[in-house]
Amino acid sequence: MSYKIVDYSKEYESIMQFGKNKNVYIHRWYPFVEGYSKEFILKIIDEYKKTYKCESIVCLEPFAGSGTTPLELQNMGHLCYSFEVSPFMYDLARCKMETSYTMKSFDKYVAQLEDYFFNPESYSEEKIQTKFKTLVEHEGIDKWLLDREVRLGILDILEGIKKFYSKKYQRLFKVALASILLDVSNVYRNGKCVSYKKNWKTDVNYSRKDVHNIYLKRIDNIFRADLLQMQKIKNKGKLFSNGIYCYCGDCRKLIFEKIPDKSVDLVITSPPYLNSRDYTDTYMVELKTLGYMEDLCEIKGLREKTLRSHVQVKWGELETLKIDELQQAIASIEKFKEKFWNPELLDMIRGYFLDINTLFKGLSKKMSLNGMVFINIANSAYYNVEIKVDEIVCKIAENNGFNIVEIREARRVRTSSQQKGISEGLRESVIVIKNNNIEN
Ligand SMILES: C[S@@+](CC[C@H](N)C(=O)[O-])C[C@H]1O[C@@H](n2cnc3c(N)ncnc32)[C@H](O)[C@@H]1O
């Protein structure tokens, strides 16, 4: 190993989580547990500027999520390309990067909604129900995510938004609705998917009007307050936006299509971890309720476009990258084949690193000489066999012509039920990589 693994817990431990963004201007529009904080971005930019003494930096975030990276970079005036495969996450990231909102239009649309809530249309049963059987309460099922009254309140908001003339405000008001969705539903997010709230049948009982009021309150307290602040900042000068550089789709393809060769100086990113969690499942309520996904076929289509970090798709027989650490881990896990909780497990692991390899192929084409990559990743374990994801990613980067500066251990993460047995927890790290690839 030509690089060191260094303890960075003092510097990174408290800023690797989204929690710090909870009360921060715009970042707070939607809580995204899988994200990191804006301080993480600030720290990296500070370090990069000290090293390279440059004022303008072209950046890339292949896995935008809630948009923390491109948003914070635009606040500092840096251009950042970004990609996000989930249409919901894309809307979230995109609306946070918009800087052309005006208070006049915002207030006009709020008034338009209030008007509509006063006398909403009555919806057909076909509209109230969806193709997803357990989304809305109806006869013949004993569990549902949304009570009928709640669904009506949500439909009023969605129909009201549909009447807006401007797409940009439609997106903003839809994200505001997403931010109250779990509060008014019967479920909470449990990390992997959703679970029913305690006593949800008896205790959680919102009326259609309650839903309108909770929504309008959120709009006023959070969104209006932040747009007022944006207006004040704009009064001092024009605001830059990374919105037009944000694309909805699969970064494994888009990286080759949307970015000029040798143009990227800095990549800051956090891909999905190799923990068999599927973001399509975790954000299912938003995808299904807000009209992003109409049926199971569309859900399958989205899953197929995501990084292969989960077992929800049959990935088929895949090759294993020729990296010793990976081949050994796969051979050790294969010994437990009889006990596998899902037959796709090994192909998920193979596919994950094939995807990371594709990403680095793209990066080697698109990054400038001496460009830097900061990639936040966590190790993984199945059947007590640890997969040193960070070290394997380092090998992949090296094979694509990059130099590893160091692996920075940010913290130890708890192991999930499928990963029991790794008592000290799994390393979550930030890999620092440099592009020395003169031939790119
Ligand atoms: C760990 S999250 C990123 C969090 C982000 N750094 C933040 O602070 O919000 C990973 C994101 O990658 C997205 N994703 C998964 N596969 C993708 C793909 N093939 N192309 C683009 N985005 C993808 C997921 O939908 C998820 O939003």
Side-chain angles (χ1 to χ4, degrees), residues 44 47 266-269 372-376 408 430-432:
I44 292 174
E47 177 179 345
L266 176 64
V267 175
I268 308 175
T269 194
M372 302 285 298
V373 182
F374 289 75
I375 181 166
N376 166 223
R408 297 175 176 174
V430 177
I431 316 175
V432 185

Side-chain angles (χ1 to χ4, degrees), residues 11-204:
E11 289 86 346
Y12 285 162
E13 190 164 21
S14 66
I15 59 173
M16 296 313 298
Q17 292 146 56
F18 190 82
K20 277 208 153 223
N21 285 345
K22 223 168 56 190
N23 297 314
V24 179
Y25 164 68
I26 302 193
H27 286 287
R28 65 178 178 162
W29 286 2
Y30 183 88
F32 187 59
V33 243
E34 294 83 1
Y36 38 53
S37 71
K38 74 169 208 171
E39 277 83 1
F40 180 58
I41 309 298
L42 294 172
K43 215 173 184 64
I44 292 174
I45 292 297
D46 195 40
E47 177 179 345
Y48 185 90
K49 280 191 162 177
K50 276 187 187 136
T51 314
Y52 289 107
K53 316 249 176 304
C54 56
E55 277 316 305
S56 87
I57 314 171
V58 176
C59 307
L60 163 66
E61 159 63 292
F63 303 95
S66 66
T68 313
T69 314
L71 173 60
E72 206 39 44
L73 287 168
Q74 86 177 26
N75 291 344
M76 290 183 258
H78 299 300
L79 188 156
C80 180
Y81 296 100
S82 59
F83 305 126
E84 172 51 53
V85 75
S86 158
F88 164 57
M89 291 300 166
Y90 170 78
D91 267 2
L92 171 60
R94 188 70 178 74
C95 87
K96 286 160 80 179
M97 284 182 246
E98 187 60 61
T99 52
S100 64
Y101 301 118
T102 65
M103 291 319 295
K104 194 172 164 209
S105 299
F106 181 83
D107 288 341
K108 180 189 83 183
Y109 285 123
V110 174
Q112 198 176 308
L113 274 178
E114 283 170 335
D115 246 23
Y116 181 69
F117 295 163
F118 197 64
N119 191 16
E121 60 189 86
S122 45
Y123 311 109
S124 66
E125 199 52 31
E126 206 184 342
K127 185 149 195 164
I128 296 168
Q129 298 302 332
T130 67
K131 294 207 173 132
F132 304 110
K133 252 200 193 149
T134 55
L135 186 68
V136 183
E137 174 183 9
H138 63 89
E139 291 253 321
I141 54 171
D142 56 6
K143 276 188 167 186
W144 53 88
L145 304 181
L146 306 172
D147 292 347
R148 196 181 165 82
E149 275 285 297
V150 168
R151 172 64 172 164
L152 289 175
I154 291 170
L155 270 180
D156 294 336
I157 299 169
L158 284 172
E159 283 306 301
I161 293 173
K162 236 190 224 167
K163 297 181 199 308
F164 290 3
Y165 177 69
S166 153
K167 278 237 168 332
K168 160 174 95 190
Y169 287 95
Q170 283 184 345
R171 187 183 276 143
L172 176 71
F173 280 75
K174 214 162 155 181
V175 165
L177 173 56
S179 77
I180 66 150
L181 211 49
L182 284 196
D183 297 347
V184 298
S185 80
N186 297 328
V187 292
Y188 64 91
R189 235 185 292 284
N190 62 17
K192 206 172 171 83
C193 191
V194 291
S195 300
Y196 279 84
K197 293 173 185 168
K198 205 168 157 211
N199 302 328
W200 62 273
K201 265 189 194 165
T202 48
D203 291 2
V204 190

Side-chain angles (χ1 to χ4, degrees), residues 278-296:
D278 171 20
Y279 282 82
T280 318
D281 265 348
T282 318
Y283 292 90
M284 196 58 95
V285 184
E286 288 80 354
L287 288 168
K288 287 177 175 176
T289 310
L290 304 180
Y292 289 105
M293 297 281 123
E294 295 291 339
D295 55 31
L296 292 174

Side-chain angles (χ1 to χ4, degrees), residues 391-410:
E391 293 180 26
I392 299 171
V393 170
C394 285
K395 281 274 163 71
I396 292 174
E398 282 176 335
N399 291 346
N400 282 287
F402 290 84
N403 271 14
I404 309 304
V405 178
E406 59 194 13
I407 293 180
R408 297 175 176 174
E409 176 168 330

Side-chain angles (χ1 to χ4, degrees), residues 242-257:
N242 272 322
I244 55 165
Y245 306 106
C246 179
Y247 301 92
C248 186
D250 181 351
C251 66
R252 293 168 300 181
K253 272 181 71 199
L254 292 177
I255 191 169
F256 295 96
E257 296 168 4

Side-chain angles (χ1 to χ4, degrees), residues 200-424:
W200 62 273
K201 265 189 194 165
T202 48
D203 291 2
V204 190
N205 274 316
Y206 292 111
S207 70
R208 183 172 183 170
K209 201 87 221 122
D210 288 338
V211 176
H212 302 162
N213 291 338
I214 293 170
Y215 178 68
L216 290 172
K217 202 167 160 197
R218 180 68 53 91
I219 285 273
D220 194 45
N221 287 350
I222 304 289
F223 290 80
R224 191 169 194 282
D226 283 358
L227 291 198
L228 271 174
Q229 193 175 334
M230 183 186 284
Q231 195 53 56
K232 279 189 199 148
I233 302 170
K234 270 203 285 197
N235 290 342
K236 294 185 196 149
K238 204 168 176 279
L239 280 182
F240 169 69
S241 168
N242 272 322
I244 55 165
Y245 306 106
C246 179
Y247 301 92
C248 186
D250 181 351
C251 66
R252 293 168 300 181
K253 272 181 71 199
L254 292 177
I255 191 169
F256 295 96
E257 296 168 4
K258 299 292 181 193
I259 302 182
D261 287 356
K262 300 182 193 177
S263 64
V264 175
D265 305 313
L266 176 64
V267 175
I268 308 175
T269 194
S270 172
Y273 294 166
L274 182 55
N275 55 10
S276 61
R277 290 190 184 167
D278 171 20
Y279 282 82
T280 318
D281 265 348
T282 318
Y283 292 90
M284 196 58 95
V285 184
E286 288 80 354
L287 288 168
K288 287 177 175 176
T289 310
L290 304 180
Y292 289 105
M293 297 281 123
E294 295 291 339
D295 55 31
L296 292 174
C297 192
E298 286 189 1
I299 288 180
K300 183 168 176 276
L302 174 58
R303 283 182 172 140
E304 283 169 354
K305 284 195 270 170
T306 59
L307 198 83
R308 288 177 274 186
S309 62
H310 59 84
V311 290
Q312 300 288 56
V313 172
K314 285 198 186 324
W315 303 117
E317 293 262 307
L318 301 175
E319 58 161 323
T320 310
L321 280 179
K322 289 188 184 55
I323 292 175
D324 289 347
E325 291 84 343
L326 174 60
Q327 289 180 327
Q328 280 159 18
I330 287 200
S332 303
I333 296 170
E334 201 161 17
K335 291 184 190 144
F336 297 89
K337 208 163 182 170
E338 299 298 307
K339 294 188 187 166
F340 276 9
W341 45 269
N342 188 296
E344 295 305 313
L345 186 59
L346 286 182
D347 282 313
M348 170 191 77
I349 301 169
R350 292 186 181 104
Y352 184 81
F353 291 108
L354 287 170
D355 289 347
I356 297 283
N357 192 44
T358 305
L359 190 69
F360 273 95
K361 272 196 185 347
L363 292 181
S364 77
K365 253 179 112 52
K366 303 300 170 180
M367 290 195 72
S368 59
L369 183 64
N370 293 329
M372 302 285 298
V373 182
F374 289 75
I375 181 166
N376 166 223
I377 210 100
N379 289 350
S380 184
Y382 294 96
Y383 301 97
N384 295 347
V385 178
E386 183 168 5
I387 307 173
K388 294 200 169 155
V389 175
D390 48 12
E391 293 180 26
I392 299 171
V393 170
C394 285
K395 281 274 163 71
I396 292 174
E398 282 176 335
N399 291 346
N400 282 287
F402 290 84
N403 271 14
I404 309 304
V405 178
E406 59 194 13
I407 293 180
R408 297 175 176 174
E409 176 168 330
R411 56 179 178 152
R412 291 270 156 180
V413 287
R414 264 186 301 135
T415 49
S416 71
S417 56
Q418 284 131 11
Q419 303 179 325
K420 265 189 253 157
I422 310 286
S423 55
E424 70 278 25

